[in-house]
Amino acid sequence: MYNREYGYDLWMRYRPISDNNLALRYQGLIGKLCTMSQNETVAIAVKELKIAYHGFFSADLSFTEDLSKASLVVGRVSDLPDEISGQIEWSEKGNLLSQAFAIKNLDYQGRKILVIAGQSSIALLYGVFHFLRLVQTHEPLDQLNVVSMPKTALRMLNHWDNLDLSIERGYAGASIFDWHRLPGYLHPRYEDYARAQASLGINVITINNVNANPISLTTKYIIKLKALADFFRAYGIKIFLSIRFSGPMEIGGLKTNDPLDAGVRDWWKKKAEEFYHYIPDFGGYLVKANSEGQPGPMDYNRSHSDGANMLAQSLEPFGGIVIWRAFVYDHKIDEDRAKQPYNEFKPLDGQFLPNVIVQVKNGPVDFQPREPFHPLFGAMPKTNLAMEFQITQEYLGLATHLVYLAPLFKEVLDADTYSQGPGSSVGKVIDGSLENKSLTCMAAVANVGTDLNWCGHHFAQANWYAFGRLAWDHQLDSREIALEWIKMTFGHNTTMVMTMAQLMMESREISVNYRTPLGLHHIMGRGHHYGPGPWVTGGRADWTSPYYHRADESGLGFDRSVTGSNGAAQYFKPWSDIFGNKQSCPESLLLWFHHVSWDHKMKSGRTLWEELCYKYDEGVKGVESMVKQWETLGPYVDESRFNEVRSLMAMQLREAIWFKDSCLLYFQKFAKRPWPEGMVEPQGKIEEFESHEDFFVPGIPNPFAAKLVE
Ligand code: GCW
């Protein structure tokens, strides 16, 4: 058989356990399965055990209906005999207990058995996947006493997939959601996608772009959606739909979309009835309104809460939820873009209905390589707030660069907002523990497509994985997650595991250094956002780069202190003071909050100009070291994945140099200072960099294509 590794298996890569002793021990422990509950979801869990068992041991899992002969027992806790269930302590309590599972070795009638129990069938499925993770990572299986439940209620992927199979900011092929052939044809990929999601405990997906097409609100498309919902249900996955606020006019033929208009309200009410008629457990809507040209309530001088609440009321009788995005900004408003979401949303705290969640991006601008945490976290204690991360690497190298995102996610989740004094972390806002919320949600923009390996880059799979693990428990450690993922996806050789982990852990800081060090942001290529573009000007100011970097002869950076936009004041103390003051502001965010003179002394003793040069240089050197480290892995990684990653890394290095050279040559025009000693000097001509154009970059309909045709 041709055994090439395509990466299609993701982390569910159940390869033979080569250590014979370990394999024998494991087989003894789990070789005979007794299933205590029966339904579709439990059948999925059992099927997974079968597939995995066969993969690990090249043998078939055997089954017994006789509990006294079983070595592995799986079931919902309510279906287990008291003698077994009584031995499990569900130490964790809370409103998410129904999603909790336990994995425990215990004595049953004088024999040792291993039990996987779930508070519900879905929880059992989560338990089985967790158990398989323990096997895949070669954990000892004879002293287990695991009880786990998620910290957030909705663990969500937002697909920005269009109905025509294209994906906004998608770099891994086309959409996996094959609308044209729905409802009749269910692509086999749906099953593997659902397995992957369930293996992480992801329980909600929005399957279409937030820049939504109103067609998805028609009956024809609701029926297509139903086919997907019916399929995903047994995996514990609920579907949300991104809706276009102007549906009443565009689909319903109404004269207005005003959320306070009786006809509009009635239209949405009937739409909700229709959704729930076809999909009784439909999740609800995700809404991008009054942002980047999308219609919304403000077109009628109504507020975000008027719009969200109108939809929420229509969904409420059915238990539906509205997720309303706080990613709003408008170039017609004469205000720092980074301040606009807070300005618009903070005054509405307390005005959203209980079934509304406001979804806030991790930072105040837009998924940049590094942003401070969003000032809305902690600032809306009376509103359900969801986190929105971006897994797809719009600003981090598309599907070409190896950038492990868990450290970025954790940096934000662990940040202390101080909203209620020390210890008020963003993670605690999101999991509801700080403000006593139960409708909690962590979402991320997906990086999934029809590529053989799903994500375009083998290591981009780790970002999907890490998001899922952190959505379950934001206190997990980035490195631990990386180690798990590597072992599950690549194998166990210690040199390989350690090298890959190091490479992954360093990759995010390296990419910040060669893209946007010291708090720079939004200096990428126009439209497609690929490659450097600090020189991008023309058109609306907030889509140009100088708006953000403000380079001039005196210095560099956006002044968000009192002398500038005072964006720092949107944070709680002490952050407002720390960020607001050049001396105390962390250097990693210095140019985010301050316009700093080229000769400003940095902590290293260098000037800002020198430090900027060194940071870019460090970024490139970092990628060089990644390349070298990868080269050492040839003996341990299968040929196919080794070569793919190797070629992508060579591209990453070329592009890192491109960023460094072009950005530094550009900034030198303002700084007018020589290259500091010890760095590798940038090569090339700034005019050439500035006139460089890229065509057909994936992720957007290419504006330059039209230009060429003209
Ligand atoms: O980052 C920006 C992207 C847009 C996206 C928008 C958003 C879906 O460039 O493509 O639109 O964010 O989050 O709505």
Side-chain angles (χ1 to χ4, degrees):
M1 208 178 90
Y2 190 43
N3 235 347
R4 180 170 173 170
E5 296 266 7
Y6 290 106
Y8 182 80
D9 293 334
L10 295 162
W11 45 89
M12 301 169 297
R13 183 176 166 275
Y14 308 125
R15 292 295 188 269
I17 297 175
S18 51
D19 176 341
N20 275 342
N21 288 335
L22 189 68
L24 282 174
R25 269 210 319 277
Y26 279 175
Q27 258 180 301
L29 278 164
I30 61 177
K32 216 174 223 350
L33 175 69
C34 180
T35 311
M36 303 297 292
S37 313
Q38 320 296 334
N39 62 34
E40 228 188 311
T41 301
V42 178
I44 290 169
V46 170
K47 183 176 170 189
E48 196 69 29
L49 283 169
K50 265 169 81 173
I51 302 172
Y53 191 93
H54 196 271
F56 297 143
F57 310 116
S58 309
D60 288 332
L61 177 62
S62 53
F63 291 83
T64 175
E65 284 178 17
D66 183 351
L67 200 51
S68 66
K69 299 216 171 80
S71 53
L72 178 63
V73 176
V74 300
R76 276 186 311 220
V77 68
S78 54
D79 296 331
L80 298 173
D82 293 348
E83 247 182 291
I84 293 182
S85 58
Q87 295 188 52
I88 303 174
E89 274 173 53
W90 298 93
S91 50
E92 302 201 47
K93 300 251 175 321
N95 69 325
L96 299 179
L97 188 62
S98 70
Q99 299 183 43
F101 62 80
I103 307 174
K104 189 168 182 179
N105 304 88
L106 46 81
D107 288 317
Y108 176 67
Q109 301 185 336
R111 295 173 55 250
K112 288 256 181 239
I113 57 169
L114 208 158
V115 177
I116 309 176
Q119 287 283 350
S120 60
S121 306
I122 298 298
L124 172 63
L125 181 60
Y126 295 156
V128 162
F129 274 112
H130 188 82
F131 172 72
L132 292 174
R133 174 157 48 234
L134 298 175
V135 179
Q136 285 174 281
T137 51
H138 294 186
E139 292 295 315
L141 298 184
D142 45 7
Q143 304 277 333
L144 293 173
N145 190 6
V146 177
V147 175
S148 181
M149 69 185 234
K151 287 202 163 59
T152 37
L154 307 181
R155 304 171 298 278
M156 181 180 213
L157 276 202
N158 295 164
H159 291 269
W160 285 356
D161 296 18
N162 297 314
L163 305 182
D164 65 358
L165 298 186
S166 64
I167 307 179
E168 181 148 353
R169 311 307 176 186
Y171 312 110
S175 171
I176 60 167
F177 300 113
D178 181 1
W179 288 95
H180 179 65
R181 290 192 282 178
L182 285 170
Y185 174 67
L186 291 174
H187 199 289
R189 205 182 259 271
Y190 298 148
E191 181 178 345
D192 298 317
Y193 167 81
R195 288 169 56 223
Q197 298 288 49
S199 79
L200 301 172
I202 290 178
N203 60 352
V204 192
I205 57 172
T206 310
I207 60 171
N208 62 326
N209 192 352
V210 288
N211 291 330
N213 189 314
I215 299 287
S216 61
L217 287 164
T218 58
T219 308
K220 190 170 175 185
Y221 273 77
I222 296 176
I223 291 169
K224 288 172 185 276
L225 193 67
K226 171 185 166 50
L228 289 177
D230 288 346
F231 183 81
F232 289 136
R233 185 168 297 115
Y235 294 85
I237 301 170
K238 259 191 197 214
I239 295 204
F240 273 64
L241 190 76
S242 296
I243 57 117
R244 191 161 153 91
F245 200 77
S246 48
M249 284 174 77
E250 287 175 278
I251 299 295
L254 269 54
K255 296 232 151 33
T256 175
N257 302 306
D258 182 350
L260 300 191
D261 177 86
V264 170
R265 300 176 80 86
D266 192 55
W267 190 86
W268 283 110
K269 190 167 161 275
K270 296 222 169 69
K271 230 346 121 191
E273 283 162 8
E274 195 182 1
F275 271 107
Y276 284 90
H277 166 74
Y278 288 107
I279 310 170
D281 57 351
F282 178 58
Y285 304 141
L286 173 64
V287 195
K288 172 174 176 178
N290 293 119
S291 167
E292 301 187 327
Q294 293 298 316
M298 289 160 91
D299 304 344
Y300 303 91
N301 289 324
R302 311 296 185 197
S303 68
H304 287 290
S305 50
D306 291 331
N309 290 346
M310 181 266 299
L311 295 173
Q313 273 166 353
S314 75
L315 298 171
E316 194 275 336
F318 312 99
I321 291 166
V322 172
I323 303 185
W324 192 270
R325 296 176 83 229
F327 175 69
V328 294
Y329 65 99
D330 186 345
H331 63 294
K332 292 187 205 105
I333 299 174
D334 183 23
E335 175 66 290
D336 172 6
R337 167 175 166 188
K339 289 176 66 185
Q340 293 184 29
Y342 181 99
N343 289 350
E344 268 180 47
F345 277 85
K346 162 97 179 120
L348 300 176
D349 189 29
Q351 294 187 30
F352 291 96
L353 287 174
N355 61 330
V356 175
I357 302 177
V358 173
Q359 180 167 294
V360 181
K361 285 191 181 180
N362 57 269
V365 171
D366 192 5
F367 300 138
Q368 294 299 296
R370 171 166 282 123
E371 299 195 22
F373 66 86
H374 202 299
L376 276 174
F377 295 121
M380 295 186 73
K382 293 188 225 127
T383 307
N384 303 313
L385 285 196
M387 168 64 76
E388 179 174 347
F389 285 125
Q390 191 179 50
I391 306 175
T392 192
Q393 292 170 232
E394 177 180 354
Y395 301 102
L396 285 152
L398 284 50
T400 308
H401 294 202
L402 190 167
V403 186
Y404 176 51
L405 296 177
L408 185 163
F409 300 156
K410 283 288 282 183
E411 185 173 289
V412 178
L413 291 165
D414 292 346
D416 197 340
T417 67
Y418 283 89
S419 63
Q420 299 184 23
S424 310
S425 70
V426 172
K428 285 189 187 167
V429 175
I430 295 308
D431 71 18
S433 60
L434 187 73
E435 297 159 348
N436 202 14
K437 307 266 181 51
S438 55
L439 186 53
T440 55
C441 174
M442 200 188 303
V445 182
N447 64 349
V448 171
T450 53
D451 255 24
L452 290 175
N453 68 25
W454 299 87
C455 302
H457 192 304
H458 289 289
F459 279 79
Q461 297 178 351
N463 294 331
W464 179 7
Y465 182 85
F467 167 74
R469 298 288 286 136
L470 289 170
W472 183 272
D473 180 355
H474 61 80
Q475 282 170 338
L476 294 177
D477 176 74
S478 303
R479 188 162 190 276
E480 290 299 318
I481 296 173
L483 290 172
E484 264 175 33
W485 176 82
I486 295 165
K487 290 178 190 163
M488 296 167 83
T489 311
F490 281 97
H492 287 265
N493 176 280
T494 315
T495 313
M496 178 191 76
V497 172
M498 292 304 146
T499 309
M500 283 188 183
Q502 191 187 338
L503 216 142
M504 288 168 74
M505 288 303 292
E506 289 172 357
S507 61
R508 190 273 181 134
E509 204 56 43
I510 289 173
S511 86
V512 169
N513 284 342
Y514 66 73
R515 289 171 181 282
T516 50
L518 303 173
L520 283 172
H521 50 290
H522 207 294
I523 55 169
M524 64 286 159
R526 188 198 287 277
H528 47 58
H529 297 171
Y530 163 70
W535 47 82
V536 166
T537 49
R540 53 186 279 189
D542 57 354
W543 284 355
T544 66
S545 300
Y547 177 96
Y548 299 94
H549 63 63
R550 308 274 164 134
D552 57 23
E553 289 192 8
S554 69
L556 181 65
F558 195 124
D559 185 359
R560 295 193 168 103
S561 74
V562 273
T563 53
S565 80
N566 207 13
Q570 291 184 333
Y571 290 88
F572 289 92
K573 274 186 185 303
W575 284 122
S576 48
D577 298 331
I578 296 175
F579 288 149
N581 180 319
K582 235 176 255 181
Q583 300 313 322
S584 54
C585 183
E587 288 191 347
S588 60
L589 291 170
L590 189 62
L591 305 177
W592 185 284
F593 285 107
H594 297 278
H595 191 264
V596 180
S597 95
W598 294 112
D599 296 324
H600 173 87
K601 271 268 171 308
M602 304 291 286
K603 294 205 175 77
S604 60
R606 299 176 187 132
T607 64
L608 171 69
W609 167 247
E610 291 165 349
E611 190 79 1
L612 188 75
C613 293
Y614 281 121
K615 283 285 175 195
Y616 272 107
D617 200 42
E618 235 177 272
V620 169
K621 288 185 174 137
V623 186
E624 279 165 359
S625 134
M626 285 169 72
V627 168
K628 283 203 192 100
Q629 290 182 69
W630 186 257
E631 287 303 321
T632 66
L633 297 184
Y636 315 111
V637 180
D638 54 279
E639 204 182 327
S640 169
R641 287 188 294 177
F642 177 77
N643 286 332
E644 278 186 73
V645 173
R646 177 198 241 175
S647 348
L648 290 173
M649 265 193 191
M651 286 181 71
Q652 182 170 1
L653 179 57
R654 283 199 296 277
E655 294 182 5
I657 296 171
W658 176 27
F659 265 93
K660 170 190 151 186
D661 290 358
S662 64
C663 290
L664 286 180
L665 284 165
Y666 173 80
F667 289 129
Q668 196 188 38
K669 292 205 292 193
F670 301 92
K672 299 189 166 59
R673 282 156 175 77
W675 305 120
E677 264 172 43
M679 75 174 291
V680 179
E681 292 185 9
Q683 305 292 311
K685 289 208 168 57
I686 187 60
E687 300 73 28
E688 278 165 25
F689 286 121
E690 290 188 18
S691 59
H692 173 97
E693 277 186 61
D694 280 291
F695 303 97
F696 304 111
V697 178
I700 48 158
N702 199 308
F704 299 113
K707 204 169 87 180
L708 280 186
V709 174
E710 264 170 19

